[in-house]
Amino acid sequence: MEKRIVFATGNQDKMKEIRMILEDLGIPVYSMKEAGVNIEIVEDGTSFEENAEIKARAVSRVLKNDIVLADDSGLEIDYLDKAPGIYSARFAGEDTSYDVKNRIFLDRLEGVPEEERTARFVCAVAAVFPDGTAKTVRGTIEGRIAHEILGENGFGYDPIFYVPEYGCTTGEMSPELKNKLSHRGIALRAMRKILEEKYGKEAL
Ligand code: IMP
């Protein structure tokens, strides 16, 4: 049976980023939907790592022969005690637009000085292998909450996440640059290394 990676997400924006990074492994990467899995997963972990493994394990129970990956990610704003954190997607309601969510955070940080606007994107990626073992890695990117909504690239909180070294938000970056710097890029490359080491490039 052909080896494949199934990524436990239904988010098409994420799938684009994931494919760009994992494509040179030379094995096909399927989304959960493409693999025909349609299950509700309750993310009741207390950390990004726990939630990523919960998702990967849930899909691995259905697709026992596949390498199942999952990520859990979010934005930590230091001034707000690391909110929204693991609740980033659910913050203010799943169906609320990011334009509204982003404006809520801009309002909450109104008048807060530059040095207290520090924030980071965090991404944990978990892999569950056909033998039932699991591995989890974490990537982060440090930045600050911007003063306005800037840029139309990316998704979610990208237009308010300012990266001082580049003088722009991740919403203003090309997908290639964002992948190079981003929490998900860092975590996925760490996971790619684990996959290469576990299976060897040829074996994959
Ligand atoms: P997850 O799908 O449970 O990992 O939720 C991730 C949520 O965190 C997304 O819905 C966004 O709200 C936020 N987030 C994670 N990564 C990014 C990113 O790269 N850009 C913008 N927002 C992100």
Side-chain angles (χ1 to χ4, degrees):
M1 202 161 104
E2 199 199 2
K3 209 167 229 69
R4 58 179 196 170
I5 292 172
V6 177
F7 210 102
T9 181
N11 180 328
Q12 282 310 314
D13 297 308
K14 275 193 194 173
M15 279 309 295
K16 257 189 250 163
E17 294 188 359
I18 290 160
R19 282 207 169 93
M20 274 178 66
I21 292 167
L22 295 182
E23 72 185 357
D24 57 347
L25 271 175
I27 48 167
V29 183
Y30 291 78
S31 69
M32 211 161 93
K33 196 169 157 208
E34 287 161 351
V37 179
N38 185 8
I39 51 170
E40 277 292 316
I41 303 169
V42 183
E43 292 174 35
D44 54 2
T46 58
S47 65
F48 293 109
E49 281 80 0
E50 268 181 40
N51 279 337
E53 193 172 330
I54 286 169
K55 286 186 247 184
R57 287 232 175 259
V59 175
S60 176
R61 275 193 281 277
V62 184
L63 303 172
K64 294 189 176 59
N65 296 316
D66 293 312
I67 302 163
V68 179
L69 303 188
D71 82 331
D72 195 57
S73 55
L75 175 67
E76 291 182 346
I77 302 176
D78 291 326
Y79 186 78
L80 303 176
D81 294 327
K82 299 197 172 173
I86 59 169
Y87 304 106
S88 292
R90 285 166 272 175
F91 173 76
E94 295 259 8
D95 296 330
T96 304
S97 76
Y98 275 94
D99 199 51
V100 170
K101 296 189 200 214
N102 284 332
R103 280 178 207 286
I104 293 174
F105 286 123
L106 291 183
D107 285 350
R108 289 198 188 165
L109 268 73
E110 181 148 11
V112 174
E114 214 50 50
E115 63 276 14
E116 290 177 46
R117 304 179 76 89
T118 51
R120 72 201 53 74
F121 278 129
V122 179
C123 177
V125 173
V128 175
F129 301 102
D131 66 6
T133 59
K135 274 261 193 280
T136 307
V137 293
R138 170 182 276 229
T140 58
I141 173 173
E142 298 288 331
R144 294 194 195 145
I145 300 304
H147 293 271
E148 55 185 320
I149 289 175
L150 290 168
E152 281 163 12
N153 294 341
F155 66 99
Y157 300 106
D158 279 328
I160 60 163
F161 189 80
Y162 180 78
V163 184
E165 292 82 354
Y166 286 81
C168 65
T169 68
T170 45
E172 294 175 289
M173 289 180 181
S174 67
E176 289 75 17
L177 179 60
K178 189 186 162 194
N179 270 347
K180 213 170 101 189
L181 308 177
S182 81
H183 51 315
R184 191 166 300 102
I186 293 166
L188 283 167
R189 282 191 294 274
M191 185 51 79
R192 184 176 68 191
K193 199 153 174 266
I194 287 173
L195 291 171
E196 280 170 2
E197 279 163 10
K198 187 168 168 79
Y199 293 98
K201 239 184 171 164
E202 297 80 62
L204 282 171

